Amino acid sequence: YDINGYKAIRKENDICYSGLYNYELNINQLSTFNPVLLNWKTLPSNYGPIQRLLSSDNNITVYCTNKVMLVMYEKSIIMDLVGNENVATSNQVLGDVITIDYECGIGNNPESLVSVGSAHLFCDPIRKRVYLKQGREIQELSGQGTGCFNEFVKILSTHKTFLGAFDDARGEYLIGVDQDFSIELARKFTTANA
């Protein structure tokens, strides 16, 4: 749209942060976005748009359609000549971007993501899989050899909406499929499998 000669631009691969908020000092700059401060980070667009952001391990986990990435918060990665990584504090709010070396994303279903402590469980309807992310590692929970591979591929192929939830009492990741909960499937994906 166009207002007084200004046009809106939709940036699906940018993370932007606002000004400061401090309750005790009565500072609220949450609605202040100053482009002069370069207060955004542009992520690679080839992985699709950002679907969900989640704070974890003092960093930001970014779930895109076809990739999961980490954005370091007030930190940067410094590599030596051998290729060893070291984390260093930085004056940049949004530091280096780390793409997790696993071919998966969250598709167009950010509602499937559930955070349980430091673990994240999510569906990837494009690849027809369920994943567990902990730190920089991603593990497939619905792969061949789990006993329900064909059943899960069929469910992710025939439905469009996947709502994730976690049952603390049973330690189960529950997946709602097109407004119905698939309890039989949920029992097969417990944190004990991880």
Side-chain angles (χ1 to χ4, degrees), residues 151-152 155 173-177 180-187:
E151 177 186 4
F152 198 71
I155 288 172
Y173 175 54
L174 306 173
I175 304 166
V177 181
D180 294 322
F181 276 100
S182 180
I183 300 300
E184 311 92 74
L185 184 65
R187 289 189 183 141

Side-chain angles (χ1 to χ4, degrees), residues 56-57 59 61 68-72 75-79 83-88 96-102 118 120 132-139:
S56 60
D57 301 325
N59 295 311
T61 303
V68 179
M69 295 179 261
L70 290 175
V71 176
M72 306 295 277
K75 295 181 281 279
S76 289
I77 300 285
I78 298 173
M79 297 184 95
N84 297 322
E85 294 181 354
N86 293 303
V87 178
D96 292 335
V97 176
I98 301 167
T99 56
I100 296 178
D101 192 27
Y102 202 93
S118 63
H120 303 167
L132 169 72
K133 179 197 165 292
Q134 289 184 305
R136 290 191 194 181
E137 301 293 322
I138 293 180
Q139 177 184 358

Side-chain angles (χ1 to χ4, degrees), residues 3-189:
I3 300 174
N4 298 330
Y6 294 97
K7 292 185 179 181
I9 298 173
R10 185 173 176 90
K11 295 191 172 197
E12 296 178 327
N13 298 91
D14 285 10
I15 300 174
C16 183
Y17 58 92
S18 66
L20 298 172
Y21 174 79
N22 187 319
Y23 177 78
E24 292 175 0
L25 298 176
N26 200 22
I27 298 172
N28 184 356
Q29 299 172 342
L30 293 177
S31 62
T32 304
F33 295 92
N34 187 345
V36 175
L37 299 175
L38 299 175
N39 59 342
W40 71 87
K41 186 74 151 181
T42 300
L43 303 178
S45 60
N46 54 321
Y47 300 124
I50 296 171
Q51 297 291 331
R52 181 98 185 252
L53 299 173
L54 194 62
S55 174
S56 60
D57 301 325
N58 295 323
N59 295 311
I60 300 169
T61 303
V62 181
Y63 290 88
C64 295
T65 305
N66 286 305
K67 198 65 162 173
V68 179
M69 295 179 261
L70 290 175
V71 176
M72 306 295 277
Y73 179 74
E74 293 185 340
K75 295 181 281 279
S76 289
I77 300 285
I78 298 173
M79 297 184 95
D80 61 18
L81 294 174
V82 182
N84 297 322
E85 294 181 354
N86 293 303
V87 178
T89 57
S90 171
N91 60 354
Q92 295 178 323
V93 174
L94 299 175
D96 292 335
V97 176
I98 301 167
T99 56
I100 296 178
D101 192 27
Y102 202 93
E103 289 302 317
C104 69
I106 201 162
N108 292 317
N109 294 98
E111 65 277 0
S112 74
L113 178 67
V114 174
S115 177
V116 182
S118 63
H120 303 167
L121 296 135
F122 62 98
C123 289
D124 183 349
I126 295 169
R127 291 165 187 84
K128 299 167 183 47
R129 304 283 192 275
V130 171
Y131 296 101
L132 169 72
K133 179 197 165 292
Q134 289 184 305
R136 290 191 194 181
E137 301 293 322
I138 293 180
Q139 177 184 358
E140 184 178 329
L141 296 180
S142 61
Q144 294 182 356
T146 59
C148 59
F149 176 74
N150 292 333
E151 177 186 4
F152 198 71
V153 167
K154 180 181 175 187
I155 288 172
L156 280 174
S157 298
T158 57
H159 298 281
K160 294 182 180 179
T161 305
F162 306 97
L163 178 64
F166 192 79
D167 183 350
D168 286 326
R170 294 184 178 178
E172 295 176 341
Y173 175 54
L174 306 173
I175 304 166
V177 181
D178 291 344
Q179 302 169 358
D180 294 322
F181 276 100
S182 180
I183 300 300
E184 311 92 74
L185 184 65
R187 289 189 183 141
K188 296 176 183 174
F189 295 101

